[in-house]
Amino acid sequence: MPHPYVLLSAAVSLDGYLDDTGPERLLLSGPADFDRVDEVRAGVDAILVGAGTIRADNPRLLVNSPERRAARVAAGRPEYPLKVTVSGSGDLDPAARFWHTGGEKVLYTTDGGAERARALGLATDIVPLGPELGWRALLEHLYAMRGVRRLMVEGGGRIHTQLLTQGLADELQLVLAPLFVGDADAPRLFGPGSYQGGRLRLVETRPVGDVVLARYQPTAPGTGTLPSAADHHWLARACELAERCPPSRTAFSVGAVVVAADGTELARGYSREGADPVVHAEEAALAKADPTDPRLATATVYSSLEPCARRASRPAPCARLILDAGVRRVVTAWREPDTFVAGADGSGVLADGGAVVVVLPEHEERAMAPNGHLIGS
């Protein structure tokens, strides 16, 4: 199911610490960066911190600028983003500023934690997720039940680590402060875990006062049926490629990208690319990949439309070309309609060949857009 765009926000010392061990919070950023964070907060639907952050820092998590709050209201949004916290135990201080400032709040917890939170009289909507907390269930609930499309996560380090290792973080906004902590007992931003392989994509870097902001996006595809944040990025790229297709009244416009397990793009293509008026997107992309590349065995093919199971223009349909290339994971936005082939089922051909097919319907509208003249929309 869909979930919000998850933006992780943190500031660290040059040696990677979130704080020191003193009684007061270590201020890693300056006024210019505090204003930048306020601007980011004003642009999201919800802000999330863990229970540990509430206990340690007693944050308010507000949009401080009156002008930014007014702009939210003028756009039909609440004055403040929804404030979200997570606690398995539900044992939180009812007097914390988190509950008594800003707009709406929600606590995600376990069944047992919900009982404790209600007994404490916490001033919040309490949502139990079952006997254990699960990030996918939490994010899906925020999307479906609270309308959250963009979520800012401000800590702590354990939550950032969990979201990254589970492939659920779409972006990391990291501020590097020009100081050292040097205390092994101080909290670090990231802990040990099974992080996805490969290098993150650098989106932006710039000075903000005396700190440096670096924005990164993960690139590594998910594994199996569980989509990762990077799956959404690569499928969006495939949909962009579909918009480049020469128009046709007898064939769909489709884009495709082949990505290695470490997030390296191996090839891309789109329908009717170059001088070939009948080439399909997956076919065009795979033709550019080295067929002896061992990375294909663990790669993912992203296609804006389900790979074809049958075609008249070439002997081998795209589902078969994918299997013959050794690829065993496909992510697509849109199942092929019966416009040209009745009972099209490329996903079935792929599954019979041992491939996993993941459909991300939140990209369907964009995938359909270049084909509106063919499907009556």
Side-chain angles (χ1 to χ4, degrees), residues 119-207:
L120 289 170
L122 297 181
T124 182
D125 182 18
I126 299 170
V127 179
L129 294 176
E132 296 182 357
L133 291 171
W135 279 111
R136 288 184 185 272
L138 184 156
L139 294 173
E140 289 167 4
H141 189 276
L142 277 176
Y143 187 98
M145 305 307 295
R146 302 304 300 249
V148 174
R149 297 297 180 267
R150 192 170 179 88
L151 173 68
M152 181 180 186
V153 180
E154 295 199 35
R158 181 180 178 186
I159 286 177
H160 284 147
T161 298
Q162 290 174 348
L163 289 168
L164 271 174
T165 55
Q166 294 180 35
L168 296 173
D170 294 274
E171 180 179 336
L172 170 61
Q173 293 193 1
L174 181 64
V175 164
L176 192 62
L179 54 83
F180 294 92
V181 172
D183 187 340
D185 294 328
R188 287 187 174 274
L189 174 55
F190 297 120
S194 300
Y195 292 92
Q196 290 182 293
R199 301 172 70 88
L200 276 67
R201 178 186 303 102
L202 180 62
V203 178
E204 177 189 10
T205 181
R206 61 183 168 95

Side-chain angles (χ1 to χ4, degrees), residues 42-296:
V44 302
D45 301 306
I47 305 168
L48 183 149
V49 294
T53 299
I54 292 178
R55 297 184 186 109
D57 300 338
N58 196 21
R60 297 183 305 155
L61 296 181
L62 302 178
V63 175
N64 293 312
S65 164
E67 293 78 14
R68 290 172 182 144
R69 296 200 304 271
R72 286 178 59 89
V73 173
R77 306 171 74 186
E79 183 179 10
Y80 294 98
L82 174 71
K83 296 201 296 188
V84 185
T85 190
V86 184
S87 170
S89 69
D91 187 9
L92 289 159
D93 183 0
R97 293 188 297 182
F98 181 91
W99 317 114
H100 303 289
T101 56
E104 292 187 73
K105 300 95 183 171
V106 59
L107 164 66
Y108 286 96
T109 184
T110 60
D111 294 337
E115 293 182 10
R116 177 172 291 180
R118 293 188 183 107
L120 289 170
L122 297 181
T124 182
D125 182 18
I126 299 170
V127 179
L129 294 176
E132 296 182 357
L133 291 171
W135 279 111
R136 288 184 185 272
L138 184 156
L139 294 173
E140 289 167 4
H141 189 276
L142 277 176
Y143 187 98
M145 305 307 295
R146 302 304 300 249
V148 174
R149 297 297 180 267
R150 192 170 179 88
L151 173 68
M152 181 180 186
V153 180
E154 295 199 35
R158 181 180 178 186
I159 286 177
H160 284 147
T161 298
Q162 290 174 348
L163 289 168
L164 271 174
T165 55
Q166 294 180 35
L168 296 173
D170 294 274
E171 180 179 336
L172 170 61
Q173 293 193 1
L174 181 64
V175 164
L176 192 62
L179 54 83
F180 294 92
V181 172
D183 187 340
D185 294 328
R188 287 187 174 274
L189 174 55
F190 297 120
S194 300
Y195 292 92
Q196 290 182 293
R199 301 172 70 88
L200 276 67
R201 178 186 303 102
L202 180 62
V203 178
E204 177 189 10
T205 181
R206 61 183 168 95
V208 184
D210 69 343
V211 303
V212 174
L213 168 68
R215 294 175 52 219
Y216 291 95
Q217 292 179 337
T219 61
T223 56
T225 59
L226 290 178
S228 71
D231 284 333
H232 292 275
H233 166 81
W234 290 116
L235 188 55
R237 298 292 79 75
C239 292
E240 286 180 2
L241 287 168
E243 297 167 0
R244 298 174 58 181
C245 299
S248 172
R249 292 205 165 272
T250 58
F252 291 112
S253 293
V254 183
V257 186
V258 185
V259 181
D262 66 355
T264 301
E265 181 180 326
L266 301 180
R268 59 171 57 192
Y270 56 90
S271 305
R272 300 175 294 284
E273 183 178 2
D276 191 338
V278 297
V279 71
H280 286 196
E282 303 91 333
E283 178 186 17
L286 288 170
K288 299 171 190 173
D290 180 354
T292 66
D293 191 333
R295 294 175 294 178
L296 287 172

